[in-house]
Amino acid sequence: MTNTRHKPLLIYVHGFNSSPDSWKAQQLKSLLSAADSPADLLVPSLSHWPAEAVRQLGLLIDAAWDRDITLIGSSLGGFYSTWLTEQNPRLRSVLVNPAVNPDRLLADWLGENENIYTHERYHLTREHLKQLQALRVEQLQDPSRYLLLVQTADETLDYREAVEKYQQAVHYVQPGGSHGFEAFDRLIPAVVAFAQGRVELPPLISLPEVVEG
């Protein structure tokens, strides 16, 4: 029987108005659910309050203090993952189309919101934005602990902001795609390899741009 403590632990950090039911989370669950999976996976449901979300993640990290832990942060989850990684030198992070300035982006979303998966309704307030500003990381201490995955046709975020922010980290800049990160399943082996301390990225291929409407 494999000792799970010897496997890396992956924690998927979902984005704004998302949940463990998002399709990237489901792809990870599908591919890592087998008993002989090379990594264990946690996919927590996070509060819409930034300070509470990082507290929830911090508790999971503390509970697995003797594991090799890699965060997989999507969009706003990438912003949270960056802050957490800078607080804990044991962590690695894979950032998937990460938000770099979410307080600016979400200023346009102030007011009533609804989580597209859970249908929870809540008010996004300036206190949310203040909490995001408190989590901003100006400079990375060790860029080698990050793997950046972006697609150039991201319709929500300007991928160039992430490339500039994480310019010293390992990059995978894929032409085309979308904010949801098309064909994410093809990158999961690379995510697991990074969690194990290796960089094994697939060849770059261009993807069709996803046009909404």
Side-chain angles (χ1 to χ4, degrees):
M1 181 178 294
T2 301
N3 186 342
T4 60
R5 291 289 171 180
H6 294 160
K7 292 183 181 182
L9 175 64
L10 309 181
I11 303 177
Y12 182 77
V13 186
H14 67 69
F16 176 66
N17 278 344
S18 190
S19 85
D21 291 329
S22 70
W23 72 275
K24 287 194 294 296
Q26 292 303 309
Q27 286 182 317
L28 283 163
K29 288 179 181 179
S30 176
L31 291 175
L32 298 176
S33 61
D36 60 349
S37 166
D40 293 326
L41 176 68
L42 292 176
V43 186
S45 179
L46 300 175
S47 171
H48 59 79
W49 287 103
E52 175 61 15
V54 296
R55 189 192 73 83
Q56 290 174 292
L57 291 162
L59 290 175
L60 293 177
I61 292 165
D62 289 345
W65 63 270
D66 57 343
R67 306 284 300 272
D68 289 329
I69 302 174
T70 296
L71 306 179
I72 306 171
S74 173
S75 192
L76 180 59
F79 182 79
Y80 292 158
S81 297
T82 300
W83 186 84
L84 288 160
T85 301
E86 292 302 303
Q87 305 307 304
N88 191 328
R90 298 186 305 106
L91 297 180
R92 294 185 179 93
S93 274
V94 177
L95 309 175
V96 185
N97 283 338
V100 173
N101 298 299
D103 55 308
R104 300 176 195 171
L105 178 69
L106 295 184
D108 293 334
W109 290 72
L110 291 173
E112 189 171 354
N113 277 266
E114 181 177 343
N115 186 296
I116 62 175
Y117 293 95
T118 67
H119 302 293
E120 177 194 9
R121 300 181 73 86
Y122 65 96
H123 275 79
L124 187 72
T125 67
R126 295 201 175 276
E127 177 59 25
H128 284 84
L129 305 186
K130 183 179 178 180
Q131 290 184 12
L132 288 172
Q133 291 165 358
L135 299 174
R136 183 181 300 279
V137 170
E138 297 299 337
Q139 187 171 357
L140 306 180
Q141 299 178 60
D142 183 1
S144 70
R145 293 191 288 128
Y146 295 88
L147 170 61
L148 176 66
L149 309 177
V150 294
Q151 293 184 336
T152 62
D154 186 332
E155 71 282 6
T156 301
L157 303 172
D158 185 344
Y159 79 96
R160 293 170 294 187
E161 289 186 346
V163 171
E164 181 178 359
K165 175 78 174 182
Y166 303 95
Q167 58 185 289
Q168 296 182 51
V170 177
H171 293 68
Y172 188 84
V173 182
Q174 187 165 37
S178 71
H179 183 62
F181 206 94
E182 304 303 309
F184 176 68
D185 57 311
R186 299 177 188 173
L187 272 297
I188 292 177
V191 170
V192 173
F194 188 73
Q196 296 170 333
R198 307 188 311 276
V199 177
E200 296 179 359
L201 292 167
L204 273 172
I205 60 171
S206 296
L207 296 174
E209 295 185 12
V210 176
V211 179
E212 295 185 345

